[in-house]
Amino acid sequence: MNDLRPQAHEAIGAQVEAKRHHEERETELYRLRSARSLIPGHAVARRDSIVRGTGVPVTELLYAAELIDIAEGQEHWRPAAEKVLRGYGMRLLVPHAHQDRVRRFIDHNDMRGLVEYSVVTAVSAHVPRPGPGTLAGKLTVDQTHPHERWLAGQLARQFDHVCVESADELDQHRIAVTIKGTVKLPGNHYRKDDRPELTNRASYILGANTAAKRQALEEVAELAVTARETAKQAGALTQRLEAQQIRGASAAAAAEHSSWSHLDHGTHTQLATTLARQIKEIRTGDHDLRELEAQRDEAKTGFEAAYGIWQATVDKIGQLSERQAKLGDLRLAEQDLPHQVDEPDLAYLEEVYAGIDTPVTVDNVSTVRKLLISALTNRAASAKSKQDLAREQVRNAIAAFIEKWPDSAPDDSGDVDLTGADFAALHTEIVTRRLPEAMNRLQHMISEELVPTIAQLLYEIDTAARGIEKRIGWVNAGLRRVEFNEGRRLQISWRANLSPDVRDFRTEVDQLIIAAAGAKKDPEQHVRQFKRIRELMKPFTGTDQEAQRWRRNVLDVRTGYDFYGVEVDHEDVITNTHRNTATNSGGEQEKLVAFCLAAALSYNLADADSDSRPRFGTLMLDEAFSKSDENFSAQALSAFDEFGFQLVIAAPIRLSGIVEPYIGQAILIDKRVSAEGARSNGKSATFGELADRRFAEADGDARASA
């Protein structure tokens, strides 16, 4: 019995501890099923008291751990991060605006535990970035929270521990942490915290995903079994202890008798038998007792039924709790997913979902998601196939465009990814601006307007050239009527001397005219035709000196001729050629100039219907031939007369005999100089009066002019 007592006490203690542990885990599990935070319940309750006492919204009093999580792909570093950041993660983040209220409340009240908090202040524009190989680099901060930039900066500064695989690498760094959680601090200080609340997954605090923690807490059922087993063991040991105590008491009582004869066993047995018989008789004869026993049995049956309902209800609650946990996990998982969808994308997703033909419920969300993903994957594969086909078609189209119109292509690399957008924009511009129609109009304009216009320009140039030649013929006809020298007539000769600009222009126009018919049917010919016209028009619209020189050469047909004078006899044999007046005497030069002047005036004033005579023929000559030989002067005047000019001549009296045959009336201007000054008088005079005055002037009697 003495051996059983310590065992019984130990079993009772284990029972109490197992029951306490089970109740704590069960309470935490129920809390996590509806909570979004991994923060322990006592810390959440402590924060709730601060929220109630200060009025600060709970959303603005978060623990740092609620905003910190392990970065994607770094989950194997979670145990180490939980150990290193445990203290910092349990720190409340208090906005600067609520600092005074929170500080006063915590200072004035018993918080029944440790409270640490940091005031979140303004953040500078530059936030330090953690190194990729540091513990801070393996963490993420909730980017949707206003404290994100402040907290990220704090983590980068305070947790720049270099992450190493083993303790052998710790000494290589000033501050480092192994994957097992051993921390090396400055000054050769090392620390490793393996307390249960840091190593048990059920005690993790970083992040907001409670699923893993609930999974760790699912040991509640095992704890319940343990509690029942410890209770059973404790009960069994207690019963054994009580039985041993009874047996001990009986043995002690028996030990007080000195002889078996003192024990009247038969009397007691007979008494027990008598009492049992009496009880049976009472039950048989007592109606009320039988009724009570029946009620007892009925109550027992009702109790058992109620117990069954209770047990079923407990099971149902367990099932619903499990379903609640799963739905909570599903809700958290769904809340973490992006839900903002643009209208076109939403319409597309609804179309795909309608094709699944499986209504979604809370129980088949995963199944419907898989079906939706499968349908989207199939559509993506089909779209990818179509995209590849379209890509190849676009590539071919780009190559064809570059080959046909290299000057208009945005790029000549043929890279669809690099230049596809540029070619698409070009296509949109072509369609928007209706360039095909414009191309047709341009083709019509080139073939029906521009080429004929350019051909007409060349025709006008040729017509002007022929006009020059025709007018030279009119001039020569007039010159044939006047003797230039004895037995000879002066004629104007010419020689075509086309410049390279004119010859090239004629060649290009000929090519345009020749290609005009083919360009109407062949687009490529049409493009070449357009380029020819564009190049041909450049010097017409240019403003530089070269363009101006080109236009003079091409448009002024006179620049394409060399003119000179020849003397011919009555058989048109050339006897002399005049290219300038350098070799002639003074009189001959003046006569040649006079003939050329008469010819030039006739060239500009005569036409085809005037018999080589000018339409406007009044010609005034002032002091003409005053120094010329009389024969040369007479020949020059005869040239003007034969060309049909009406002469108005101002000449000295001495030339009156020369000009007399070519004028019909004379006016005598007498100019005299006296002491009173110079004075002139004019009057009509006959040719006889002119002759008298001429003779008198020759004798020195007077000075006059006619």
Side-chain angles (χ1 to χ4, degrees):
M1 183 173 65
N2 292 333
D3 294 337
L4 286 176
R5 186 175 285 110
Q7 295 180 22
H9 291 169
E10 183 179 353
I12 291 172
Q15 175 193 1
V16 173
E17 181 64 22
K19 183 178 180 181
R20 182 189 64 79
H21 198 190
H22 171 257
E23 290 176 350
E24 288 179 354
R25 294 298 191 188
E26 189 174 37
T27 301
E28 185 69 9
L29 178 60
Y30 277 114
R31 188 187 69 81
L32 286 176
R33 283 173 175 168
S34 59
R36 292 198 60 187
S37 174
L38 300 180
I39 302 301
H42 62 83
V44 173
R46 193 172 293 120
R47 176 176 59 186
D48 291 342
S49 67
I50 298 174
V51 169
R52 290 191 299 271
T54 61
V56 177
V58 68
T59 55
E60 298 188 29
L61 284 180
L62 296 183
Y63 285 98
E66 294 178 285
L67 300 177
I68 304 171
D69 206 346
I70 305 300
E72 184 177 357
Q74 304 296 333
E75 187 63 30
H76 58 291
W77 281 96
R78 183 179 291 275
E82 290 283 348
K83 293 180 181 181
V84 176
L85 275 79
R86 181 75 178 194
Y88 191 86
M90 293 302 298
R91 186 178 299 184
L92 276 173
L93 303 182
V94 181
H96 184 269
H98 306 314
Q99 172 185 354
D100 294 338
R101 279 186 288 169
V102 173
R103 182 169 53 192
R104 283 194 297 268
F105 179 85
I106 293 176
D107 185 55
H108 292 166
N109 292 273
D110 182 3
M111 302 309 299
R112 299 186 179 279
L114 176 64
V115 177
E116 286 191 83
Y117 62 93
S118 292
V119 177
V120 180
T121 57
V123 182
S124 65
H126 172 69
V127 176
R129 298 178 62 87
T134 64
L135 183 60
K138 300 184 183 300
L139 304 174
T140 60
V141 179
D142 185 355
Q143 296 183 355
T144 63
H145 199 275
H147 299 343
E148 181 264 334
R149 297 183 73 243
W150 181 89
L151 183 56
Q154 295 294 317
L155 294 179
R157 283 187 288 268
Q158 298 187 38
F159 299 99
D160 58 344
H161 303 60
V162 178
C163 295
V164 298
E165 293 295 328
S166 67
D168 296 337
E169 304 175 60
L170 289 174
D171 290 339
Q172 303 174 16
H173 309 283
R174 185 184 68 86
I175 179 171
V177 60
T178 70
I179 199 167
K180 298 294 185 181
T182 299
V183 179
K184 193 250 182 193
L185 299 171
N188 292 328
H189 178 200
Y190 300 88
R191 178 171 59 85
K192 186 169 186 281
D193 193 345
D194 284 336
R195 287 176 292 175
E197 59 266 29
L198 300 181
T199 57
N200 192 338
R201 290 177 60 86
S203 301
Y204 285 176
I205 63 172
L206 296 181
N209 185 4
T210 61
K213 191 168 184 177
R214 283 203 310 273
Q215 184 177 2
L217 288 174
E218 292 297 342
E219 64 185 23
V220 169
E222 298 178 4
L223 293 175
V225 172
T226 302
R228 287 195 297 270
E229 290 293 334
T230 55
K232 184 178 179 180
Q233 292 175 4
L237 289 173
T238 301
Q239 289 178 0
R240 287 180 61 188
L241 181 60
E242 290 177 351
Q244 291 293 337
Q245 289 176 343
I246 293 172
R247 290 177 64 185
S250 299
E256 294 178 356
H257 299 279
S258 59
S259 170
W260 284 104
S261 61
H262 294 165
L263 297 176
D264 189 0
H265 178 70
T267 302
H268 290 291
T269 301
Q270 184 179 1
L271 179 60
T273 302
T274 301
L275 289 174
R277 186 176 62 252
Q278 290 177 354
I279 291 173
K280 183 177 181 181
E281 291 175 352
I282 291 172
R283 286 178 176 175
T284 303
D286 193 337
H287 176 73
D288 292 337
L289 181 59
R290 289 198 306 272
E291 185 175 352
L292 288 174
E293 287 180 344
Q295 291 177 0
R296 180 203 64 187
D297 294 340
E298 183 179 355
K300 183 179 180 180
T301 302
F303 169 76
E304 291 176 351
Y307 183 82
I309 295 174
W310 172 82
Q311 188 64 48
T313 304
V314 171
D315 294 340
K316 184 66 174 178
I317 291 174
Q319 294 173 2
L320 292 177
S321 297
E322 183 178 356
R323 175 177 170 79
Q324 178 189 14
K326 291 181 179 180
L327 292 178
D329 292 342
L330 178 62
R331 179 173 65 88
L332 290 175
E334 293 298 327
Q335 286 179 344
D336 291 338
L337 296 176
H339 292 86
Q340 297 297 327
V341 182
D342 296 335
E343 285 297 330
D345 296 337
L346 180 61
Y348 180 78
L349 290 176
E350 289 178 348
E351 176 188 348
V352 177
Y353 171 69
I356 295 176
D357 197 23
T358 301
V360 65
T361 65
V362 292
D363 296 313
N364 70 345
V365 170
S366 298
T367 302
V368 173
R369 178 182 287 110
K370 291 178 181 178
L371 293 174
L372 185 61
I373 291 175
S374 177
L376 290 173
T377 302
N378 293 336
R379 290 199 175 202
S382 176
K384 182 63 168 57
S385 177
K386 294 179 180 178
Q387 182 186 31
D388 292 341
L389 178 60
R391 184 189 189 88
E392 190 61 28
Q393 292 175 342
V394 170
R395 191 192 309 278
N396 295 336
I398 289 177
F401 188 93
I402 293 174
E403 182 180 358
K404 291 184 178 180
W405 300 288
D407 295 339
S408 301
D411 186 270
D412 60 358
S413 65
D415 189 333
V416 176
D417 295 329
L418 181 63
T419 64
D422 295 333
F423 278 94
L426 177 60
H427 177 267
T428 301
E429 181 182 5
I430 291 173
V431 174
T432 302
R433 296 174 59 186
R434 304 174 68 182
L435 291 185
E437 297 181 14
M439 183 64 74
N440 292 334
R441 293 196 300 271
L442 178 61
Q443 182 175 359
H444 179 271
M445 182 178 67
I446 290 174
S447 60
E448 303 298 332
E449 297 179 18
L450 288 180
V451 173
T453 300
I454 295 173
Q456 179 65 28
L457 174 61
L458 182 59
Y459 174 77
E460 294 294 336
I461 292 174
D462 290 340
T463 300
R466 289 192 297 271
I468 290 176
E469 297 171 7
K470 183 184 294 185
R471 286 181 176 275
I472 292 297
W474 301 340
V475 171
N476 285 334
L479 289 174
R480 283 185 176 277
R481 294 194 292 267
V482 184
E483 188 177 62
F484 183 72
N485 282 319
E486 184 178 357
R488 296 193 295 271
R489 301 289 190 269
L490 181 66
Q491 294 285 281
I492 304 299
S493 291
W494 54 270
R495 181 174 63 86
N497 184 22
L498 299 180
S499 67
D501 294 332
V502 176
R503 289 195 295 270
D504 292 343
F505 175 72
R506 289 180 175 276
T507 300
E508 291 172 1
V509 174
D510 290 341
Q511 291 178 351
L512 281 175
I513 296 173
I514 294 171
K520 294 180 179 180
K521 301 178 181 179
D522 187 350
E524 294 184 359
Q525 291 268 359
H526 169 40
V527 172
R528 286 194 288 271
Q529 191 82 327
F530 171 76
K531 291 181 179 179
R532 292 192 192 100
I533 294 176
R534 184 179 61 185
E535 293 300 319
L536 187 61
M537 289 296 103
K538 284 182 179 179
F540 279 104
T541 58
T543 57
D544 57 351
Q545 293 183 353
E546 179 63 22
Q548 295 174 2
R549 181 197 62 76
W550 186 90
R551 286 197 294 271
R552 284 195 301 271
N553 288 342
V554 173
L555 299 180
D556 189 350
V557 295
R558 295 173 300 178
T559 61
Y561 290 92
D562 290 333
F563 297 99
Y564 57 94
V566 296
E567 293 183 47
V568 298
D569 58 15
H570 63 281
E571 295 180 354
D572 289 335
V573 176
I574 298 176
T575 61
N576 195 12
T577 300
H578 299 278
R579 296 188 179 277
N580 52 55
T581 61
T583 59
N584 298 334
S585 63
E588 290 176 336
Q589 291 177 5
E590 190 169 352
K591 181 178 67 171
L592 180 60
V593 169
F595 270 72
C596 289
L597 175 61
L601 292 172
S602 176
Y603 178 91
N604 287 282
L605 299 175
D607 56 39
D609 298 329
S610 64
D611 191 22
S612 304
R613 287 177 169 78
R615 291 288 187 180
F616 179 82
T618 301
L619 179 63
M620 185 173 183
L621 301 175
D622 184 17
E623 297 284 335
F625 314 115
S626 59
K627 298 179 181 180
S628 300
D629 179 85
E630 292 185 0
N631 292 329
F632 291 152
S633 299
Q635 287 179 316
L637 289 173
S638 66
F640 286 113
D641 183 62
E642 287 297 333
F643 272 108
F645 288 104
Q646 180 184 5
L647 299 177
V648 177
I649 301 173
I653 290 293
R654 64 182 179 80
L655 296 179
S656 60
I658 298 173
V659 302
E660 180 180 348
Y662 307 104
I663 58 176
Q665 184 179 2
I667 296 176
L668 180 64
I669 305 298
D670 186 16
K671 181 179 180 181
R672 295 184 180 275
V673 179
S674 62
E676 297 177 358
R679 192 168 73 181
S680 300
N681 294 317
K683 64 178 181 178
S684 178
T686 64
F687 289 106
E689 292 175 340
L690 292 177
D692 293 340
R693 293 293 297 269
R694 183 173 68 247
F695 296 142
E697 184 177 291
D699 294 337
D701 293 339
R703 299 178 61 194
S705 64

